Amino acid sequence: MTRRVFLSIMTAAGVSLLAAMLLILGMLQSAYTQRYRQQLRDEAAYAAAGLETGGTAFLAALPAGSGRITLIGADGTVLYDSIGTQDMENHSGRQEVQQALASGTGESSRYSATMGERTYNYALRLEDGRVLRVSAADFTLPEVLRSLAKPLLLIAVIVVLLSLFLALKLTRSIVRPINQLDPEHPDKAEIYPELSPLLDRLSSQSGQIDEQIRELRRKQQEFAAITENMQEGFLILDRDTNLLSYNTSALRLLGADDAVLGQSVLGLNSGSSFRDAVERSIAGEHYQRTMHHDGRYYQLIANPVHQEDGIIGAVLIILDVTEKDQRENQRREFTANVSHELKTPLTSISGFAEIIMSGLARPEDITHFATNIYAEAQRLITLVGDIIKLSQMDENSIPVEKEPVDLREIADFACERLSQAAAKKHITMAVHGSRETVSGVHQILEEMVLNLCDNAIKYNVEGGRVDITVSRDPRGAVFLSVADTGIGIPQSDRERVFERFYRVDKSHSKEIGGTGLGLSIVKHGAAYHGATLSLESELDKGTVITMTF
């Protein structure tokens, strides 16, 4: 800006100075020319008077600083010349000589080859018919400029320096209010009136920008709140695989400690599945694949981001599908187990019925066959009933309202109900603790305690012991624990004993009996009542299962 202002001032000053100089020089030339020529006329008259009295000797005695003096005869012959008369041509054809011979005086201005410059010539006719001419260098504009060269150069330097000084000062005076503007509060600035429209627009735009920034921050906070509360991992990449945005779930699922925005996302995970998802999505391909990492399964969903027929990046979603995969495996295993558990009694029932139907059974065996058919049918009914109970608890659709239930009463009932089964193995059963009430479904709680006690008897040793304890801690939590002195549960099986149809000792499952759903019913019943289960076991010493309400 300083340069523009300087050039503007310099141009204006230069044009003005040049115009003024030309005008002054023109006026000076006109005035000086008239005065100069008048002096030549006076010199001619003075020389003519001297010539009349003193002859040519007078002309020769004139000082050298005077103009050129020439005496010309009536026929144009040069009689005398202050420069010299040798080889001088006839001057009858000269304009000033012709005018003087005709009217008494004459003048002209022309280039003189003798003097080597442009001259002014004044001729005066004498009384005897001769012509006296005085010539001198003419006063021209180049001559004036040549004589004024140094002053003009000095003036030009002064104009340039003054223009630069004014430009700097003017620029600072213009820029200073602009530099002192507060972008956030432009309306409070002290400026010259010419900036008022600009400040009005800045103030309006500042308000709009502030509003847009607030809106962007609000949306950014909403986006961050949504993504940070997602269980799914979320990654946004540019087309160079550099990380633009992410949430903490993505780092957790990928097993990364930290991520740096602007660096390649491939540094977060070195697996081939993750690399394929990134590279294929950047290439414009929708990609979906399951990835295994640290014993868990993750589903990668990668989509390219298009803009104006070009790919500018990709979005990756990471889903933890471990539980889904486990549930699918459990579903397949459950289906296989149910099929097996149903097939076994049905095969027995079908076999006994076929023997009776074909008449091969002896009359004394029919009662035995009927007893077996009834037992297998009851086993089927129990199995179907347990499956229905599990389904109802899974769907939270048990058709009974919760009510206050006395756990000590249920414990006493279970002890009495299973006393005969315990007596067959000479197992001692005892109930300890106080009467504690919880909110729940009596039938389900009773089934849970019966299953725990039944398992404690089945997997106990001959002459062992089963203790049922009901208590409450100072914080108000109610406990019901069933402890046995049985064979215990191996460490590798403790996480799976609550699965449906899972048995620790599969070789003796037929001898022990049961549907294999007892502990699964306990687990789902506890979840239905908001209770937690804990298991402590030691091989050949026993097991303690505790429900905490």
PDB file of all heavy atoms in Angstrom, residues 113-127:
ATOM      1  N   ALA A 113      24.754  28.922 -40.181  1.00  0.00           N
ATOM      2  CA  ALA A 113      25.849  27.964 -40.350  1.00  0.00           C
ATOM      3  C   ALA A 113      27.151  28.549 -39.863  1.00  0.00           C
ATOM      4  O   ALA A 113      28.036  27.826 -39.384  1.00  0.00           O
ATOM      5  CB  ALA A 113      25.949  27.561 -41.820  1.00  0.00           C
ATOM      6  N   THR A 114      27.301  29.890 -39.979  1.00  0.00           N
ATOM      7  CA  THR A 114      28.543  30.534 -39.551  1.00  0.00           C
ATOM      8  C   THR A 114      28.707  30.455 -38.053  1.00  0.00           C
ATOM      9  O   THR A 114      29.772  30.126 -37.523  1.00  0.00           O
ATOM     10  CB  THR A 114      28.553  32.009 -40.004  1.00  0.00           C
ATOM     11  OG1 THR A 114      28.354  32.045 -41.409  1.00  0.00           O
ATOM     12  CG2 THR A 114      29.872  32.656 -39.662  1.00  0.00           C
ATOM     13  N   MET A 115      27.598  30.759 -37.310  1.00  0.00           N
ATOM     14  CA  MET A 115      27.670  30.758 -35.839  1.00  0.00           C
ATOM     15  C   MET A 115      27.386  29.375 -35.252  1.00  0.00           C
ATOM     16  O   MET A 115      27.618  29.119 -34.082  1.00  0.00           O
ATOM     17  CB  MET A 115      26.692  31.782 -35.259  1.00  0.00           C
ATOM     18  CG  MET A 115      27.008  33.210 -35.702  1.00  0.00           C
ATOM     19  SD  MET A 115      25.863  34.405 -35.016  1.00  0.00           S
ATOM     20  CE  MET A 115      26.265  34.306 -33.288  1.00  0.00           C
ATOM     21  N   GLY A 116      26.827  28.500 -36.093  1.00  0.00           N
ATOM     22  CA  GLY A 116      26.566  27.143 -35.630  1.00  0.00           C
ATOM     23  C   GLY A 116      25.412  27.052 -34.656  1.00  0.00           C
ATOM     24  O   GLY A 116      25.389  26.142 -33.828  1.00  0.00           O
ATOM     25  N   GLU A 117      24.443  27.939 -34.698  1.00  0.00           N
ATOM     26  CA  GLU A 117      23.290  27.932 -33.787  1.00  0.00           C
ATOM     27  C   GLU A 117      22.183  28.751 -34.408  1.00  0.00           C
ATOM     28  O   GLU A 117      22.369  29.448 -35.410  1.00  0.00           O
ATOM     29  CB  GLU A 117      23.686  28.500 -32.435  1.00  0.00           C
ATOM     30  CG  GLU A 117      24.218  29.905 -32.482  1.00  0.00           C
ATOM     31  CD  GLU A 117      24.735  30.385 -31.132  1.00  0.00           C
ATOM     32  OE1 GLU A 117      24.555  29.639 -30.150  1.00  0.00           O
ATOM     33  OE2 GLU A 117      25.308  31.468 -31.067  1.00  0.00           O
ATOM     34  N   ARG A 118      20.997  28.665 -33.734  1.00  0.00           N
ATOM     35  CA  ARG A 118      19.869  29.458 -34.201  1.00  0.00           C
ATOM     36  C   ARG A 118      20.052  30.894 -33.708  1.00  0.00           C
ATOM     37  O   ARG A 118      20.311  31.123 -32.532  1.00  0.00           O
ATOM     38  CB  ARG A 118      18.554  28.868 -33.676  1.00  0.00           C
ATOM     39  CG  ARG A 118      17.330  29.524 -34.300  1.00  0.00           C
ATOM     40  CD  ARG A 118      16.062  28.757 -33.895  1.00  0.00           C
ATOM     41  NE  ARG A 118      14.895  29.305 -34.572  1.00  0.00           N
ATOM     42  CZ  ARG A 118      14.529  29.008 -35.805  1.00  0.00           C
ATOM     43  NH1 ARG A 118      15.260  28.167 -36.524  1.00  0.00           N
ATOM     44  NH2 ARG A 118      13.443  29.542 -36.351  1.00  0.00           N
ATOM     45  N   THR A 119      19.902  31.857 -34.645  1.00  0.00           N
ATOM     46  CA  THR A 119      20.159  33.262 -34.326  1.00  0.00           C
ATOM     47  C   THR A 119      18.970  34.138 -34.628  1.00  0.00           C
ATOM     48  O   THR A 119      18.100  33.785 -35.435  1.00  0.00           O
ATOM     49  CB  THR A 119      21.363  33.791 -35.128  1.00  0.00           C
ATOM     50  OG1 THR A 119      21.042  33.696 -36.533  1.00  0.00           O
ATOM     51  CG2 THR A 119      22.624  33.013 -34.828  1.00  0.00           C
ATOM     52  N   TYR A 120      18.940  35.275 -33.912  1.00  0.00           N
ATOM     53  CA  TYR A 120      17.955  36.335 -34.204  1.00  0.00           C
ATOM     54  C   TYR A 120      18.691  37.463 -34.898  1.00  0.00           C
ATOM     55  O   TYR A 120      19.732  37.931 -34.413  1.00  0.00           O
ATOM     56  CB  TYR A 120      17.306  36.826 -32.911  1.00  0.00           C
ATOM     57  CG  TYR A 120      16.416  38.027 -33.121  1.00  0.00           C
ATOM     58  CD1 TYR A 120      15.192  37.908 -33.755  1.00  0.00           C
ATOM     59  CD2 TYR A 120      16.832  39.299 -32.700  1.00  0.00           C
ATOM     60  CE1 TYR A 120      14.374  39.014 -33.963  1.00  0.00           C
ATOM     61  CE2 TYR A 120      16.024  40.399 -32.893  1.00  0.00           C
ATOM     62  CZ  TYR A 120      14.797  40.252 -33.520  1.00  0.00           C
ATOM     63  OH  TYR A 120      13.998  41.362 -33.729  1.00  0.00           O
ATOM     64  N   ASN A 121      18.175  37.901 -36.025  1.00  0.00           N
ATOM     65  CA  ASN A 121      18.833  38.901 -36.867  1.00  0.00           C
ATOM     66  C   ASN A 121      17.958  40.155 -36.970  1.00  0.00           C
ATOM     67  O   ASN A 121      16.773  40.052 -37.298  1.00  0.00           O
ATOM     68  CB  ASN A 121      19.097  38.352 -38.264  1.00  0.00           C
ATOM     69  CG  ASN A 121      19.840  37.026 -38.236  1.00  0.00           C
ATOM     70  OD1 ASN A 121      21.008  36.984 -37.915  1.00  0.00           O
ATOM     71  ND2 ASN A 121      19.135  35.939 -38.554  1.00  0.00           N
ATOM     72  N   TYR A 122      18.589  41.317 -36.673  1.00  0.00           N
ATOM     73  CA  TYR A 122      17.867  42.617 -36.810  1.00  0.00           C
ATOM     74  C   TYR A 122      18.690  43.523 -37.735  1.00  0.00           C
ATOM     75  O   TYR A 122      19.896  43.713 -37.512  1.00  0.00           O
ATOM     76  CB  TYR A 122      17.699  43.280 -35.452  1.00  0.00           C
ATOM     77  CG  TYR A 122      17.002  44.614 -35.523  1.00  0.00           C
ATOM     78  CD1 TYR A 122      15.628  44.696 -35.737  1.00  0.00           C
ATOM     79  CD2 TYR A 122      17.736  45.809 -35.426  1.00  0.00           C
ATOM     80  CE1 TYR A 122      14.990  45.916 -35.825  1.00  0.00           C
ATOM     81  CE2 TYR A 122      17.094  47.039 -35.505  1.00  0.00           C
ATOM     82  CZ  TYR A 122      15.717  47.079 -35.696  1.00  0.00           C
ATOM     83  OH  TYR A 122      15.095  48.321 -35.797  1.00  0.00           O
ATOM     84  N   ALA A 123      18.012  44.021 -38.778  1.00  0.00           N
ATOM     85  CA  ALA A 123      18.700  44.860 -39.795  1.00  0.00           C
ATOM     86  C   ALA A 123      18.103  46.265 -39.782  1.00  0.00           C
ATOM     87  O   ALA A 123      16.883  46.436 -39.686  1.00  0.00           O
ATOM     88  CB  ALA A 123      18.573  44.220 -41.168  1.00  0.00           C
ATOM     89  N   LEU A 124      19.033  47.235 -39.965  1.00  0.00           N
ATOM     90  CA  LEU A 124      18.624  48.652 -39.960  1.00  0.00           C
ATOM     91  C   LEU A 124      19.271  49.355 -41.177  1.00  0.00           C
ATOM     92  O   LEU A 124      20.486  49.255 -41.380  1.00  0.00           O
ATOM     93  CB  LEU A 124      19.090  49.320 -38.657  1.00  0.00           C
ATOM     94  CG  LEU A 124      18.767  50.803 -38.505  1.00  0.00           C
ATOM     95  CD1 LEU A 124      17.248  51.013 -38.440  1.00  0.00           C
ATOM     96  CD2 LEU A 124      19.429  51.341 -37.231  1.00  0.00           C
ATOM     97  N   ARG A 125      18.425  50.007 -42.025  1.00  0.00           N
ATOM     98  CA  ARG A 125      18.951  50.703 -43.206  1.00  0.00           C
ATOM     99  C   ARG A 125      19.497  52.060 -42.795  1.00  0.00           C
ATOM    100  O   ARG A 125      18.813  52.836 -42.118  1.00  0.00           O
ATOM    101  CB  ARG A 125      17.845  50.867 -44.250  1.00  0.00           C
ATOM    102  CG  ARG A 125      18.340  51.408 -45.605  1.00  0.00           C
ATOM    103  CD  ARG A 125      17.180  51.633 -46.521  1.00  0.00           C
ATOM    104  NE  ARG A 125      16.291  52.667 -45.984  1.00  0.00           N
ATOM    105  CZ  ARG A 125      15.085  52.959 -46.463  1.00  0.00           C
ATOM    106  NH1 ARG A 125      14.601  52.238 -47.467  1.00  0.00           N
ATOM    107  NH2 ARG A 125      14.343  53.901 -45.917  1.00  0.00           N
ATOM    108  N   LEU A 126      20.767  52.312 -43.240  1.00  0.00           N
ATOM    109  CA  LEU A 126      21.396  53.602 -42.955  1.00  0.00           C
ATOM    110  C   LEU A 126      20.978  54.633 -43.998  1.00  0.00           C
ATOM    111  O   LEU A 126      20.370  54.300 -45.033  1.00  0.00           O
ATOM    112  CB  LEU A 126      22.925  53.432 -42.962  1.00  0.00           C
ATOM    113  CG  LEU A 126      23.475  52.370 -41.963  1.00  0.00           C
ATOM    114  CD1 LEU A 126      24.980  52.257 -42.136  1.00  0.00           C
ATOM    115  CD2 LEU A 126      23.107  52.722 -40.534  1.00  0.00           C
ATOM    116  N   GLU A 127      21.349  55.895 -43.748  1.00  0.00           N
ATOM    117  CA  GLU A 127      20.945  56.982 -44.643  1.00  0.00           C
ATOM    118  C   GLU A 127      21.608  56.856 -46.012  1.00  0.00           C
ATOM    119  O   GLU A 127      21.054  57.303 -47.028  1.00  0.00           O
ATOM    120  CB  GLU A 127      21.320  58.340 -44.021  1.00  0.00           C
ATOM    121  CG  GLU A 127      20.480  58.649 -42.776  1.00  0.00           C
ATOM    122  CD  GLU A 127      20.843  60.017 -42.200  1.00  0.00           C
ATOM    123  OE1 GLU A 127      21.759  60.645 -42.753  1.00  0.00           O
ATOM    124  OE2 GLU A 127      20.212  60.385 -41.178  1.00  0.00           O
TER     125      GLU A 127
END
